[in-house]
Amino acid sequence: MIDLTITQALQKLKSREISATELTRAHLERIEKYGAELNCYITITPERALADAAAADARYADACALPLDGIPIGMKDLFATRGIRTTAASKMLENFIPEYESTISQKFIDSGTVLLGKTNLDEFAMGTFSKTSFFGAPVNPWQLQRRLTAGGSSGGATSAVAAGLAMGGTGTDTGGSIRFPAAITGLVGMKPTYGLCSRWGCVAFASSLDTPGPVARTVDDAAALLAAMAGHDPKDSTSAKSEFTLSGALPEIECKKLRVGVIREFADVQVSPDMKALFDARVADLKSAGAEIVEVSIPNILDALAAYYIIAPAEASSNLARYDGMKYGLRVDGADLLDTYKKTRAAGFGDEVKRRMIIGTAVLSSESYDVYFMQAARVRRMIADSFAAAFEKCDLIVCPSSAGTALPLDSDLSPLEYYALDMFTVAMNLAGVPACSVPAGLAQNGLPLGIQVVGPRFADMRVLQLARHIETFAALDNRPTTVMGK
Ligand code: GLN
């Protein structure tokens, strides 16, 4: 049962060939068997899952099933879940139990999904390997014995979904945290248009960039999850008045009339020979399907990393000021108020989060604001404008999701080397455009690689349609669920 896609499972649930309870038990057994080794869940919620499944089965019996009724999913532990511990993978929130439900998790409840648990991530979603988690890093189920990263920050979600410990998951993408982990675990990861999915109740990292989105095994599954997540939310002031509605399957895309852009500046960025070969192969496939390949230019795209690592820490330093030991989370009492703040924040945050807050505070200081923050904001504007101009010459853009395959968790990289891994993803967050990573095939070493489809703002549907077309070229064999055994 763990090999079913969401689309297939929904059919079997509808025809009563399987029950939501059976489907949920299969996943809970799988979590019992591999959960500790993969470390993909911070909190497992078996009682809640079985109650959700029983309610779904009752609705199937009454023929009033909801769109995703009975589908077991993992929720990134950044989304507040009422009555269920929500940690952001930080010691600061280790024992935080919210009294409210995030809009995204509420929408999943309203769609009938079964909550298996809260998935692991980088602390406050800051990182690329999920190694900054207070609870230890999740492991990539591909070539399990090699202990490779499942990516970050949504690495718990990708580890769980790739290994069959959830049928789908939620992630958040501030600079690549859905797309990079999806790419290196052979999954589909969709960063929707900024504002399409509500941020309300999602622990904030960098508010102008944070984008909730789905992680799934197929593009159709990702589209079904996105349909559940998307929609205007009056509780989020940056939520767009836009919907993503899907009636049935994603419509086929007509490649014959399609202009597909490739970004000229990315041609100079070094990627592994496998990535280059697979990217070229997928572009050639599109060409033979009748698409017109056009070169487009995003002149400042190589400055996106520098701009992102100014803007994101700046916003983070402001957002994380709320963790002061007074309102929620950890509190370490000191001699006086200031001392309590200091002791609480020194004990509650890990090194990477502290590094971001120091960078953020520095670039917002009066001496640095004009030379760093304002410059980064200008670069951001130019990148967004260049994407808009590029989309006058083409309908959609394709580019690599990463330079290479998953690296070992014990790789010794400097902070700047980690930051550089976001080369291919951060520009889309700065521009707010939708981007979906879809498997491109396997590298020589047997590990998956992904490529991105990028579209104009609110062209999320078109992005997924082209991603699904590409998906059919890149059949992945030896999936972890097969290799790891049932
Ligand atoms: N790796 C990037 C960072 O560390 C992206 C994180 C994210 O998208 N949440 O900031």
Side-chain angles (χ1 to χ4, degrees):
M1 252 186 268
I2 54 132
D3 276 329
L4 294 173
T5 65
I6 292 175
T7 324
Q8 291 165 340
L10 282 172
Q11 257 157 23
K12 290 190 192 293
L13 285 163
K14 247 172 239 151
S15 65
R16 317 290 311 274
E17 202 181 310
I18 58 170
S19 72
T21 303
E22 286 166 339
L23 190 61
T24 300
R25 281 195 198 284
H27 284 86
L28 289 174
E29 276 164 28
R30 190 96 179 144
I31 291 173
E32 192 141 305
K33 195 159 170 199
Y34 292 108
E37 187 174 3
L38 292 170
N39 198 25
C40 49
Y41 283 97
I42 291 176
T43 304
I44 305 164
T45 54
E47 295 88 17
R48 161 75 183 268
L50 289 169
D52 286 350
D57 282 330
R59 285 187 294 264
Y60 278 112
D62 288 349
C64 61
L66 299 165
L68 293 175
D69 231 339
I71 299 299
I73 60 153
M75 186 66 58
K76 186 174 183 177
D77 204 15
L78 203 59
F79 293 98
T81 40
R82 189 188 302 121
I84 297 169
R85 181 167 85 125
T86 301
T87 68
S90 181
K91 181 175 160 78
M92 189 61 96
L93 294 175
E94 188 184 358
N95 301 308
F96 173 56
I97 299 180
E99 284 165 25
Y100 51 89
E101 191 75 42
S102 72
T103 297
I104 292 297
S105 52
Q106 183 63 49
K107 279 175 171 283
F108 276 106
I109 295 173
D110 297 342
S111 304
T113 58
V114 169
L115 181 71
L116 293 167
K118 307 292 296 287
T119 54
N120 203 350
L121 66 150
D122 277 296
E123 184 179 8
F124 287 101
M126 297 176 195
T128 314
F129 278 21
S130 298
K131 268 166 71 167
T132 69
S133 169
F134 175 65
F135 301 93
V139 182
N140 193 325
W142 289 80
Q143 303 179 1
L144 187 56
Q145 65 292 350
R146 291 184 61 201
R147 295 189 61 80
L148 304 171
T149 178
S153 65
S154 311
T158 55
S159 168
V161 176
L165 278 62
M167 298 196 85
T170 54
T172 58
D173 193 313
T174 303
S177 280
I178 291 176
R179 290 162 288 155
F180 177 70
I184 61 169
T185 53
L187 297 176
V188 176
M190 171 74 180
K191 181 201 97 67
T193 301
Y194 178 82
L196 187 64
C197 295
S198 169
R199 292 183 295 108
W200 194 84
C202 179
V203 175
F205 164 11
S207 307
S208 76
L209 301 161
D210 294 346
T211 317
V215 167
R217 283 190 217 130
T218 66
V219 176
D220 277 319
D221 285 4
L225 295 173
L226 181 59
M229 299 172 79
H232 178 65
D233 180 8
K235 288 193 274 194
D236 172 358
S237 60
T238 58
S239 169
K241 290 218 169 59
S242 189
E243 301 289 327
F244 178 89
T245 40
L246 200 63
S247 50
L250 271 174
E252 290 289 331
I253 196 158
E254 173 65 90
C255 275
K256 290 228 159 50
K257 295 190 197 98
L258 206 64
R259 295 167 305 162
V260 177
V262 292
I263 300 173
R264 182 185 310 149
E265 290 74 14
F266 274 171
D268 300 332
V269 180
Q270 196 164 1
V271 296
S272 71
D274 290 310
M275 183 70 247
K276 185 168 174 4
L278 284 173
F279 180 71
D280 291 347
R282 298 292 81 91
V283 171
D285 290 334
L286 289 173
K287 209 168 172 176
S288 43
E292 183 196 341
I293 309 297
V294 290
E295 201 182 65
V296 293
S297 175
I298 314 281
N300 291 99
I301 202 158
L302 302 185
D303 298 325
L305 260 187
Y308 171 84
Y309 277 99
I310 290 172
I311 293 169
E315 293 189 22
S317 72
S318 164
N319 272 325
L320 271 61
R322 73 190 69 179
Y323 303 104
D324 56 5
M326 300 297 136
K327 298 182 277 291
Y328 31 57
L330 184 80
R331 177 191 179 102
V332 181
D333 282 311
D336 52 28
L337 183 65
L338 195 60
D339 196 38
T340 299
Y341 287 163
K342 285 185 187 164
K343 289 207 161 80
T344 299
R345 291 168 67 81
F349 292 133
D351 288 348
E352 183 58 27
V353 172
K354 285 178 185 158
R355 181 178 296 116
R356 304 278 178 121
M357 286 188 295
I358 291 167
I359 296 172
T361 310
V363 298
L364 290 175
S365 66
S366 54
E367 313 87 81
S368 303
Y369 188 80
D370 285 338
V371 272
Y372 290 101
F373 188 77
M374 283 312 294
Q375 287 291 74
R378 284 188 192 106
V379 169
R380 178 183 196 170
R381 179 78 266 152
M382 288 193 279
I383 290 172
D385 290 347
S386 304
F387 267 110
F391 286 125
E392 290 182 0
K393 299 198 185 81
C394 67
D395 304 299
L396 295 161
I397 289 174
V398 291
C399 66
S401 300
S402 68
T405 54
L407 293 172
L409 272 169
D410 61 10
S411 304
D412 187 22
L413 302 182
S414 69
L416 284 179
E417 286 170 320
Y418 276 115
Y419 298 170
L421 293 170
D422 299 328
M423 190 65 209
F424 293 104
T425 51
V426 290
M428 296 71 174
N429 297 80
L430 293 173
V433 295
C436 179
S437 179
V438 60
L442 295 181
Q444 301 284 329
N445 62 7
L447 292 171
L449 281 167
I451 67 172
Q452 295 181 78
V453 179
V454 189
R457 283 167 57 75
F458 300 107
D460 299 67
M461 184 71 84
R462 302 276 285 164
V463 165
L464 286 164
Q465 285 176 278
L466 185 61
R468 200 191 43 193
H469 188 84
I470 293 171
E471 177 178 50
T472 56
F473 297 128
L476 298 187
D477 303 325
N478 297 317
R479 300 201 63 97
T481 50
T482 321
V483 178
M484 287 163 66
K486 302 287 184 280

